[in-house]
Amino acid sequence: MSFSWASSIEGVDYIENAQLSKHTTLKLNVIGDLALVKTPDALKILVREISKRKLSYRTLGWGANQVLSGTKKALYIKLKFEFDREILSSPRERYHLPASAPLNALQSHAQKFGLVGWEAITGVPASLGGAIVMNAGTALGEIGDFVESVEILSSSGDLRTHRVMEGSFVYRGNTFLNEGDIIISAVLINKGQDPSISEKIKDYMNYRKESQPLRAFTCGCVWKNKGPYHKAGLMIDKSGLGNLAVGGLEVSSVHSNFFENNGEGTYDDFQEL
């Protein structure tokens, strides 16, 4: 199946048989067709054309919490929207940001100006859109706590805006996205400023460096925790499974809820492990 027609859409860079390891943090050796989309209008045209042709697509954020299988039956889409960093030059009441905005830039802004609640995203390697999809967070909180609204493109190419309310987000997930939906942008809110936030972010980054394999190829924590007293990594350790390895992947010796890829890992290795 070819998606070569996508190259005719202005604002879309189409790459056939792309090495997708470059677009994920786990770096599995996976090949697939890739569309780099530069504008929301281009994305709307692309998605409508895919729908009209009855084809499939999968959306990549930073690929930091994704395990790609590789397929010729679906087009991988990565957003490369323009991001004006001037919006982060000073604190403001609201921030209207593209889905492709990097979370590390938002973390730096929060640290510089002490934005309350934003410490929740400390050290999370993600785009804004990907982080909202899974309600990314840390022991310090979740991103859903300071999202006001989300602009969404449906699989049929229609736009809608979801205003966040109680129940919009759940642990590592959300209740407002349908299959095939792509986040275009979001509005984040400033919940106040506190000078201590800067030190809190710094301390948590140091903690992550000591307790997680940040230099290794991983996809972050593999398993969800079952609750505050049932941490996945601890359960793996207690089960005596902390030294398992399959092919190019192994359970991390630094934190058992991470799988490390030595550079040779495959999708099948991940599934078996």
Side-chain angles (χ1 to χ4, degrees):
M1 183 179 299
S2 174
F3 294 90
S4 58
W5 48 266
S7 60
S8 65
I9 300 174
E10 185 177 355
V12 174
D13 291 337
Y14 170 72
I15 306 172
E16 188 173 9
N17 296 324
Q19 176 51 262
L20 298 177
S21 65
K22 299 177 182 178
H23 301 281
T24 69
T25 56
L26 186 55
K27 305 294 184 186
L28 294 183
N29 184 20
V30 174
I31 302 296
D33 291 353
L34 176 67
L36 304 175
V37 185
K38 300 175 183 178
T39 68
D41 285 342
L43 179 64
K44 188 185 300 184
I45 295 170
L46 176 64
V47 167
R48 284 179 174 172
E49 190 63 28
I50 291 174
S51 177
K52 185 174 74 173
R53 294 171 182 255
K54 293 181 169 50
L55 301 175
S56 300
Y57 60 86
R58 298 178 183 174
T59 310
L60 296 174
W62 267 26
N65 204 248
Q66 293 173 305
V67 180
L68 306 184
S69 61
T71 176
K72 296 296 288 183
K73 296 181 180 180
L75 177 66
Y76 285 98
I77 296 175
K78 186 176 180 70
L79 306 184
K80 303 285 284 186
F81 295 165
E82 184 178 348
F83 172 42
D84 183 6
R85 291 176 182 258
E86 181 63 25
I87 193 174
L88 301 179
S89 62
S90 61
R92 57 186 66 204
E93 186 177 347
R94 287 175 174 79
Y95 301 78
H96 188 188
L97 300 165
S100 52
L103 241 60
N104 58 6
L106 306 187
Q107 176 191 316
S108 295
H109 178 73
Q111 186 169 9
K112 182 176 181 180
F113 297 106
L115 268 61
V116 174
W118 288 41
E119 69 271 20
I121 61 173
T122 300
V124 177
S127 64
L128 176 60
I132 290 173
V133 168
M134 65 165 294
N135 191 19
T138 62
L140 303 178
E142 299 171 330
I143 192 171
D145 293 336
F146 56 96
V147 177
E148 181 178 74
S149 63
V150 184
E151 186 181 15
I152 302 162
L153 182 72
S154 73
S155 58
S156 59
D158 298 319
L159 286 172
R160 75 178 191 276
T161 298
H162 174 81
R163 291 193 65 83
V164 173
M165 62 188 75
E166 185 177 355
S168 290
F169 289 101
V170 295
Y171 174 57
R172 298 299 175 264
N174 69 81
T175 60
F176 56 87
L177 290 173
N178 302 314
E179 185 174 356
D181 282 352
I182 301 176
I183 294 177
I184 301 292
S185 66
V187 175
L188 307 183
I189 54 175
N190 182 345
K191 301 174 71 174
Q193 293 174 256
D194 181 346
S196 70
I197 296 297
S198 177
E199 196 65 26
K200 186 181 290 189
I201 290 174
K202 180 181 177 181
D203 289 345
Y204 197 73
M205 278 302 298
N206 289 333
Y207 166 75
R208 287 179 72 103
K209 289 175 183 177
E210 294 172 358
S211 62
Q212 298 177 7
L214 300 186
R215 295 183 179 274
F217 297 149
T218 78
C219 61
C221 287
V222 175
W223 309 101
K224 293 180 181 179
N225 294 323
K226 291 295 289 182
Y229 304 107
H230 295 87
K231 300 291 187 181
L234 182 60
M235 292 170 73
I236 293 168
D237 287 335
K238 287 187 173 182
S239 301
L241 303 174
N243 60 352
L244 281 181
V246 173
L249 291 170
E250 63 181 4
V251 175
S252 173
S253 61
V254 179
H255 192 312
S256 293
N257 203 5
F258 288 72
F259 290 175
E260 294 186 14
N261 178 13
N262 66 12
E264 303 296 326
T266 66
Y267 177 79
D268 289 340
D269 291 343
F270 187 94
Q271 292 299 321
E272 186 174 346
L273 183 55

